[in-house]
Amino acid sequence: MQNQTTRIGGFSFGIPLKVPAASAKPAFAIAEEVISPFTLGSNVSSTEKEKNTPSYTFTALPPKLEPQWREMEWTEEKKASLMKTVSSYRPSCNEGNQARVLLLGPVGSGKSSFISSVQSVFNGRVTNRAMVGTSSTSFTKKLQSFNIHGQKGEDPTGLVLCDIAGLAGEEMTGLTLHDILSVIKGHAPEGHKFSPDQPLRSETVGYVKKPGLKDKIHCVAFVVDASKIQTYQKGPSTTFRQLRKHISDLDIHQVALLTQIDHICPETAKDVTEVYKSRIIQDTMKKAGDLLGMSTSYIVPVKNYSSELDLNVNNDVLLLRAVDHILQYADLYFQANALQQKGPKMDLGI
């Protein structure tokens, strides 16, 4: 039987998808011409214009919100507390001692940078553990699992961040919907290189035929670039929503990371503690929620380390808070699995 590559939405998932230029519309279109009822009839005299001009005054909304719309503590003590929480985390299940989290997102959204940034916090210095590219095509081509190690001398944490090729629109990415779901189900061997011509099958070298809990993905984190929210076309929105449906069918919880927040808000770029006071970022998070089809309560903003050489405690707190957010949803998977091992699901009336 000839292999078929699954394609949904605007992403090709291995097959180039050509979209006519005339039909390409941004997901968040801005009207090119807005005609005010007060500007109609350009031949009206200046005197009449002054007479008809309303006396209303419009006050622009302040760019900053007071107080923070999410509670955050920006202190060394908070950083230490979060590091201890992440380092000591272990799944609430007898089988498996680590939570495997798959990062999914468009090419260049910051998946690999997030992995390196999180490990940098624990290393005490900025390092690029996950290889990061700058081209328009995905730098990551294969499945790579990164154990997040604690501080020097400590055992690895209970968190594993998994990186695969980025989703893309028109170029051939080597990533199919079938392969994504195979990774989540635990069939993909470590280091497997994705190719649209060779989808993951039982004949693939290293294929895990009977994956255990430790082989599966326990939470999916979508990674979205805040600076590109308004340039995403309608296609990606459909793709994200359909992807989320397939993943939800596997009872996998999903969250989202909003990266590049310093590229959309000058105040946050200067001081990351302004993140939850920024109306720009709050509005962008709402747009990300619309794009993904999820509530903003699942979305957390992060600022990855890119050009910096030194760590910043406030940025560390934001990154660690994101990791803690991910682990909370990963642990829901283990809690549900523990209930299944004890017996049939209980009707909680929810």
Side-chain angles (χ1 to χ4, degrees):
M1 180 182 294
Q2 185 176 1
N3 295 328
Q4 294 182 349
T5 302
T6 306
R7 178 176 63 191
I8 58 178
F11 289 129
S12 59
F13 289 104
I15 296 180
L17 179 62
K18 298 298 181 182
V19 181
S23 64
K25 295 181 179 179
F28 303 99
I30 300 176
E32 295 180 359
E33 295 182 11
V34 180
I35 302 177
S36 167
F38 303 117
T39 60
L40 295 177
S42 58
N43 59 340
V44 179
S45 68
S46 59
T47 304
E48 289 177 321
K49 285 182 180 180
E50 291 178 4
K51 183 185 299 182
N52 295 329
T53 300
S55 59
Y56 308 127
T57 57
F58 298 92
T59 303
L61 292 174
K64 290 180 64 175
L65 300 168
E66 296 287 355
Q68 298 182 113
W69 49 277
R70 277 185 184 169
E71 289 296 325
M72 288 285 289
E73 295 179 33
W74 307 98
T75 62
E76 287 280 2
E77 291 76 17
K78 185 61 178 178
K79 174 184 173 180
S81 174
L82 285 167
M83 289 184 71
K84 183 178 180 180
T85 298
V86 174
S87 297
S88 60
Y89 169 80
R90 292 297 179 270
S92 56
C93 184
N94 293 330
E95 184 183 349
N97 60 357
Q98 289 181 308
R100 289 174 56 81
V101 177
L102 178 64
L103 303 181
L104 275 180
V107 172
S109 58
K111 303 188 312 309
S112 300
S113 293
F114 177 73
I115 294 173
S116 292
S117 296
V118 171
Q119 189 58 71
S120 294
V121 176
F122 285 96
N123 286 348
R125 58 188 177 88
V126 177
T127 55
N128 289 319
R129 188 179 176 199
M131 299 294 287
V132 180
T134 57
S135 67
S136 59
T137 57
S138 183
F139 193 83
T140 304
K141 302 295 184 183
K142 59 186 179 180
L143 173 64
Q144 294 178 287
S145 301
F146 295 89
N147 288 279
I148 301 302
H149 292 273
Q151 293 176 293
K152 292 181 179 179
E154 293 184 359
D155 294 330
T157 68
L159 174 65
V160 177
L161 295 177
C162 303
D163 197 8
I164 56 175
L167 307 174
E170 296 186 5
E171 76 257 13
M172 193 171 292
T173 68
L175 186 64
T176 66
L177 174 63
H178 168 79
D179 285 344
I180 292 174
L181 297 179
S182 295
V183 170
I184 293 173
K185 293 176 183 178
H187 295 300
E190 180 67 17
H192 174 74
K193 188 173 183 179
F194 300 100
S195 170
D197 300 325
Q198 297 179 337
L200 192 64
R201 300 189 301 176
S202 58
E203 295 83 8
T204 302
V205 176
Y207 183 88
V208 183
K209 295 183 178 180
K210 295 183 178 181
L213 187 65
K214 63 181 179 60
D215 303 306
K216 300 177 181 180
I217 294 298
H218 311 122
C219 179
V220 171
F222 286 95
V223 184
V224 180
D225 184 340
S227 66
K228 297 178 181 178
I229 288 292
Q230 292 188 336
T231 62
Y232 287 138
Q233 297 179 353
K234 186 176 181 180
S237 179
T238 303
T239 300
F240 279 130
R241 289 168 181 264
Q242 293 190 15
L243 258 177
R244 291 198 61 232
K245 181 182 181 301
H246 284 285
I247 297 170
S248 295
D249 288 342
L250 299 175
D251 295 325
I252 305 296
H253 290 277
Q254 299 144 63
V255 298
L257 304 174
L258 187 69
T259 63
Q260 305 284 24
I261 55 174
D262 52 318
H263 288 195
I264 65 170
C265 178
E267 294 299 321
T268 302
K270 291 185 291 185
D271 182 1
V272 76
T273 64
E274 298 290 317
V275 61
Y276 286 125
K277 295 180 182 179
S278 169
R279 191 179 297 277
I280 294 174
I281 290 178
Q282 185 184 49
D283 291 343
T284 304
M285 284 183 64
K286 291 178 181 177
K287 291 177 181 178
D290 292 338
L291 178 74
L292 296 165
M294 67 168 59
S295 167
T296 53
S297 62
Y298 295 98
I299 306 173
V300 289
V302 294
K303 180 182 180 299
N304 293 330
Y305 285 110
S306 54
S307 60
E308 300 88 350
L309 295 178
D310 299 307
L311 298 178
N312 176 280
V313 61
N314 296 326
N315 200 42
D316 292 350
V317 168
L318 197 63
L319 286 163
L320 289 168
R321 186 71 178 269
V323 173
D324 182 55
H325 180 74
I326 290 172
L327 287 176
Q328 289 180 36
Y329 283 96
D331 208 56
L332 290 177
Y333 178 91
F334 292 111
Q335 292 176 27
N337 187 78
L339 287 175
Q340 289 178 356
Q341 290 179 343
K342 291 181 180 179
K345 292 183 178 180
M346 296 175 60
D347 184 4
L348 300 178
I350 298 177

